[in-house]
Amino acid sequence: MSKPLRELPPITQELIDASNAEVSSALEEDYAALERQLERRGVLRALGTTLDELTSRVAELDLALPSWGLGTGGTRFGRFPGPGEPGSVFEKLDDAAVVNRLSGGASRVSLHIPWDGAEPAALVGHAGALGLSFDAINSNTFQDQSGQKLSYRLGSLSHPDGAVRRQAIDHNLSVVELGRAIGSKALTVWIGDGADAPGQLHFRRSLERVASSLGEIHSALPVDWRLLVEYKPYEPAFYASVIQDWGTALWACETAGDRARVLVDLGHHLPGANIEQIVAYLAARGRLGGFHLNDSKYGDDDVTAGSIKPYQLFLIFCEIIEAEREARSAGGALDLAYMIDQSHNTKDPIEALIATVQEARKAYARALLVDRVRLYEHQTACDPLGAELLLKDAFDIDVRPVLAMARKRKQAAIDPIAVFRSSGYRAARALERTADRKTGGGIV
Ligand code: LRH
Ligand code: MN
């Protein structure tokens, strides 16, 4: 009999059940109405599925939370810490558990080292008691740590100086060791390496150096691990980034080793980039590793996924489902890492992350409702409007009863944000964590 999960007062199962009891009959009504509508329109019949099957598939979509997204984010112009924000990796895990308990869809956390460095046993123990586990672990050679011998100011895994590359590779290997001890199965590598001026970099040699460094890291990975290589067009480098786009990351992965995969951070694309097309191509090469979900209007804004471009998020999930069908029909499966990477500068991080789980599941549910057979017919018949309207038909379905039912059936909150706000969790943490800071509890 599994040990009951540690409660996070004032967020208790009792509070969730009480809130659900108030809104459950309205949900049942909305769910039944949606089922009748989709049956009348023949949508479920065409897909050969039922609304309950769809709801269980949506409930399986579980996102990994970024440890760094549970505190208040900031920009170079400043950071305005919110009340009761977490001051240690353990307090971040507590808050992550609240997101999971209320949303029913975020049972893993992605750590960033050395930001979250701690004793593996303590991490596993604390997370386990909360019903959490660890997803991909992130290395960091885009900042210098105190006591570090060589600086990453002008590069790390691509640095012309082999000693700097050695130091960066060793850091990644030590992160893998910690990851192995806490149960992670993947290493995420994002490097800020690049140039601020034309002529500063030898493009080809820089790329070859980073691919060889990644190759060394790949060969040291445990056999059941993957290496996730994240690309980014600019920032912190403002003329050229060594791993600037999906093609470069694909090249680096194919050079580094067969368990290297490309990580698609939605914010790491120049305006106008067709991300769903990139996802389709990476999957076709068998090198799609996973996502850092977020949204953006301008640059790498790291705002809440689906808050600016929900249709793009829907189209991305359409390509994921298509790639999954193709992988399954070839006897394989896609094993993607669904992680969030956001910076919450003005929103409560817990609320924003709950909203993100909902937006991702909303996009996924709508994409599951696309009649692919008829879509192929429109594509084969070169009927652009037929194809477009078919996608819009799915996108326009109000799937919120499915999302709420998926939460209810996982004993999560039918209305998670309302429960969080009415719980007073943040105020309670504000009292407790401020007191801790004063008495030196917790890490400032
Ligand atoms: C780089 C990035 C990367 C992380 C960092 C926190 O912009 O997306 O994934 O290491 O944000
Ligand atoms: Mn990222």
Side-chain angles (χ1 to χ4, degrees), residues 230 265 268 292 341:
E230 184 177 3
D265 183 313
H268 292 184
H292 273 181
D341 180 1

Side-chain angles (χ1 to χ4, degrees), residues 38-160:
L38 295 180
E39 261 152 15
R40 189 189 69 246
R41 289 172 51 192
V43 173
L44 297 171
R45 201 172 28 264
L47 294 167
T49 188
T50 66
L51 198 59
D52 284 345
E53 264 174 25
L54 185 98
T55 301
S56 354
R57 282 192 72 180
V58 168
E60 281 156 23
L61 181 66
D62 190 85
L63 306 183
L65 301 175
S67 62
W68 60 93
L70 286 152
T72 308
T75 72
R76 58 187 165 167
F77 302 107
R79 191 180 82 92
F80 303 87
E85 69 164 3
S88 72
V89 63
F90 300 104
E91 290 178 352
K92 289 175 183 175
L93 291 173
D94 290 350
D95 292 359
V98 169
V99 175
N100 186 41
R101 209 69 54 87
L102 295 177
S103 72
S107 69
R108 285 160 299 116
V109 175
S110 199
L111 296 185
H112 217 300
I113 306 301
W115 298 342
D116 302 317
E119 268 314 301
L123 287 169
V124 171
H126 196 95
L130 294 166
L132 298 175
S133 60
F134 294 105
D135 201 296
I137 189 165
N138 296 263
S139 62
N140 177 343
T141 60
F142 52 86
Q143 294 169 328
D144 288 344
Q145 309 305 325
S146 55
Q148 187 177 302
K149 228 158 92 311
L150 302 167
S151 172
Y152 295 133
R153 190 170 78 86
L154 295 168
S156 65
L157 295 175
S158 75
H159 199 290

Side-chain angles (χ1 to χ4, degrees), residues 68 112 138 188 190 230-232 263-268 291-294 300 302 339-342:
W68 60 93
H112 217 300
N138 296 263
T188 296
W190 169 71
E230 184 177 3
Y231 56 89
K232 186 176 180 180
L263 177 64
V264 178
D265 183 313
L266 304 192
H268 292 184
F291 298 90
H292 273 181
L293 299 175
N294 51 52
D300 185 21
D302 281 342
M339 300 179 278
I340 300 172
D341 180 1
Q342 288 171 190

Side-chain angles (χ1 to χ4, degrees), residues 313-330:
L313 190 60
F314 160 75
L315 294 174
I316 288 169
F317 272 97
C318 285
E319 292 307 328
I320 292 171
I321 292 167
E322 182 57 22
E324 256 166 11
R325 284 166 65 96
E326 285 161 0
R328 259 205 313 278
S329 58

Side-chain angles (χ1 to χ4, degrees), residues 139-141 144 148-174 189 191 193 201-202 204-217 242:
S139 62
N140 177 343
T141 60
D144 288 344
Q148 187 177 302
K149 228 158 92 311
L150 302 167
S151 172
Y152 295 133
R153 190 170 78 86
L154 295 168
S156 65
L157 295 175
S158 75
H159 199 290
D161 177 345
V164 177
R165 298 198 302 277
R166 179 76 262 149
Q167 178 183 275
I169 292 168
D170 291 347
H171 163 71
N172 278 277
L173 301 187
S174 69
V189 176
I191 57 172
D193 294 27
L201 276 186
H202 187 294
R204 182 173 55 74
R205 290 183 195 151
S206 302
L207 186 52
E208 283 172 352
R209 286 192 291 263
V210 81
S212 128
S213 300
L214 289 171
E216 200 168 327
I217 295 167
V242 175

